[in-house]
Amino acid sequence: RERERESLPTFFTCDMSVPGGLKESQDCTPDVQELLDSVRAEAQAKAQAGGWNGIFLEFTGVSYATQVVAGVNYFVKARIQPDKYVHVRVFKGLDGAASVHSVQVDKSADEPISYF
């Protein structure tokens, strides 16, 4: 099957990953950082509502993975303080509206992003 893909022109190839599956993590892009910036206050409020007693001194995307659904789920590792990280799940609908689904606090720099 890989040989078939190699023989096709680039515009005929596609991502063969499982539909609905979480794609491999990659470094954050300016677009993902813009998405994070748009939901910063909501993410902090959701973390605090869950019992976390802190504030985001920064909200810098480090890495992310996506899941295509009826829109896109973004699973993002964000630095909130030196050596402190959170994982944020942001849903961006087909209409372009973004909302925070959930936040995991007390994450480390080397902890991989996984589905939550």
Side-chain angles (χ1 to χ4, degrees):
R1 182 165 216 154
E2 190 61 37
R3 183 175 288 152
E4 291 173 1
R5 288 186 71 194
E6 289 174 6
S7 66
L8 292 173
T10 304
F11 57 87
F12 282 119
T13 61
C14 63
D15 186 349
M16 301 297 275
S17 55
V18 177
L22 191 62
K23 297 199 178 182
E24 191 171 318
S25 178
Q26 56 189 320
D27 291 341
C28 267
T29 64
D31 287 341
V32 173
Q33 183 61 54
E34 187 176 318
L35 177 67
L36 273 182
D37 292 342
S38 75
V39 298
R40 178 179 178 154
E42 182 183 0
Q44 181 172 297
K46 192 161 285 245
Q48 291 169 339
W52 181 70
N53 187 20
I55 59 169
F56 295 171
L57 297 179
E58 63 177 294
F59 201 50
T60 306
V62 176
S63 59
Y64 76 103
T66 58
Q67 176 191 37
V68 177
V69 289
V72 179
N73 282 321
Y74 289 84
F75 296 82
V76 185
K77 176 185 299 204
R79 186 174 48 249
I80 58 167
Q81 296 178 14
D83 298 324
K84 292 195 180 211
Y85 298 82
V86 295
H87 289 181
V88 183
R89 180 175 168 185
V90 179
F91 174 73
K92 187 171 183 181
L94 298 173
D95 62 357
S99 63
V100 176
H101 179 276
S102 52
V103 179
Q104 295 181 331
V105 296
D106 298 324
K107 296 296 183 176
S108 66
D110 57 350
E111 192 166 345
I113 298 170
S114 59
Y115 183 90
F116 61 95

